[in-house]
Amino acid sequence: MLVAASRIFSTRTHLFKPSLVRTHLPSASGYRFAFRSMADSAAASASSFNKIQIQRDGTTFDAYVVGKEDAPGIVVLQEWWGVDYEIKNHAVKISQLNPGFKALIPDLYRGKVGLDVAEAQHLMDGLDWQGAVKDIRASVNWLKANGSKKVGVTGFCMGGALSIASAVLVPEVDAVVAFYGVPSSELADPAQVKAPIQAHFGELDSFVGFSDVTAAKALEEKLKASGIPHEVHMYPGSAHAFMNRSPEGVKRRKGMGMPDEDATAVELAWSRFQSWMTRFLST
């Protein structure tokens, strides 16, 4: 199994298991310049997004929308980096899947983006998780008020765990697809999900208790107890964040000790995603 070079996620959040521990952080000096230029290089792709503002509980946050106006909606939740080039790539991909979806990325970090591992860790540690769930609910309701009859939630890493939490805590969610992330029971108990869930994990994922094989199997048992439709898929030879296939994303994963590349696994996961969301979001 690959050993992740980053620190295992902090115990200070309510999202992750209390047994998680620190590991060595890679030097940030080798990341900052490269990652800043990567974020800049993605600016052109942002032109396809409509930037909006959503209000909830006396606060306002930005969100980015792409896709057909009258299509089923999908809220797309960020990794620990923030709203960067990779999550925008995923949202554009989702919007282009048949029969067409309207993707919305809520900015959970309020404009901040981690340009290296240490910054991303700091931003995630400082996130108000209950507030993030409220952001997700507000995003779902915005889509339903703006042409989407049904709305799903998907997310990656941190966003994957939050997407599962939304199936427990946000009653307006109609379907969920989660990628390599499981919430702790302190945030949400997957046995209490109310929306159909499909989940994807890499067999070589080394984030113990959060997205490794043991966490995936434990999630599957919880979902069985829920009685709600579910699927849990494991991808042999794939590590954490295996869906990140942009040149920048591949470079970043390699810098974190995850050199695996499997385009077939990515295509299969997207095919399963498309089938699941189409099945449960079709009116």
Side-chain angles (χ1 to χ4, degrees):
M1 180 176 290
L2 294 175
V3 178
S6 64
R7 188 181 113 195
I8 299 297
F9 298 124
S10 170
T11 59
R12 280 181 283 168
T13 74
H14 296 295
L15 176 60
F16 303 108
K17 304 289 185 179
S19 59
L20 298 185
V21 297
R22 290 177 182 265
T23 60
H24 175 65
L25 260 177
S27 170
S29 62
Y31 286 87
R32 180 174 299 275
F33 176 79
F35 283 2
R36 192 176 299 275
S37 65
M38 288 175 199
D40 292 343
S41 71
S45 67
S47 61
S48 60
F49 287 88
N50 178 28
K51 184 178 179 180
I52 63 169
Q53 290 191 319
I54 298 176
Q55 295 184 335
R56 60 97 180 155
D57 300 332
T59 186
T60 302
F61 61 92
D62 292 336
Y64 301 87
V65 182
V66 62
K68 293 166 55 178
E69 282 301 312
D70 58 348
I74 298 180
V75 177
V76 183
L77 302 176
Q78 67 199 49
E79 298 176 292
W80 70 341
W81 307 105
V83 181
D84 70 348
Y85 59 89
E86 201 69 84
I87 201 66
K88 289 180 178 178
N89 289 342
H90 292 328
V92 170
K93 171 73 174 179
I94 289 166
S95 73
Q96 295 171 347
L97 294 173
N98 286 327
F101 296 98
K102 185 177 181 180
L104 182 153
I105 309 170
D107 189 348
L108 303 181
Y109 285 168
R110 302 299 192 265
K112 298 178 181 178
V113 177
L115 302 179
D116 56 49
V117 169
E119 285 185 3
Q121 180 76 60
H122 177 73
L123 288 169
M124 189 179 68
D125 287 351
L127 181 66
D128 173 5
W129 300 102
Q130 297 298 335
V133 172
K134 292 179 181 179
D135 288 352
I136 296 166
R137 185 174 192 179
S139 299
V140 170
N141 287 331
W142 186 93
L143 283 166
K144 289 196 170 186
N146 286 273
S148 297
K149 293 182 176 62
K150 291 189 176 182
V151 176
V153 177
T154 190
F156 303 79
C157 182
M158 182 185 85
L162 282 168
S163 67
I164 294 173
S166 76
V168 179
L169 301 171
V170 181
E172 296 86 353
V173 173
D174 295 302
V176 164
V177 177
F179 290 90
Y180 30 80
V182 179
S184 72
S185 58
E186 287 84 2
L187 180 65
D189 181 1
Q192 303 300 317
V193 298
K194 301 172 183 65
I197 288 185
Q198 182 185 81
H200 304 263
F201 297 89
E203 190 178 57
L204 300 181
D205 198 314
S206 58
F207 287 102
V208 178
F210 175 66
S211 52
D212 66 336
V213 172
T214 301
K217 290 181 178 178
L219 172 66
E220 187 168 27
E221 291 305 311
K222 288 275 192 177
L223 294 177
K224 287 178 181 177
S226 76
I228 298 296
H230 65 275
E231 295 176 358
V232 177
H233 299 288
M234 188 68 61
Y235 296 82
S238 293
H240 192 74
F242 66 88
M243 296 296 287
N244 294 351
R245 296 294 300 132
S246 70
E248 296 94 340
V250 170
K251 181 178 180 180
R252 183 162 67 182
R253 290 184 77 246
K254 287 181 178 179
M256 295 177 67
M258 296 178 282
D260 58 287
E261 296 184 48
D262 189 344
T264 301
V266 173
E267 290 174 8
L268 178 58
W270 279 126
S271 175
R272 288 166 167 166
F273 175 102
Q274 179 182 10
S275 296
W276 192 259
M277 288 301 196
T278 301
R279 173 183 171 187
F280 291 105
L281 300 186
S282 296
T283 56

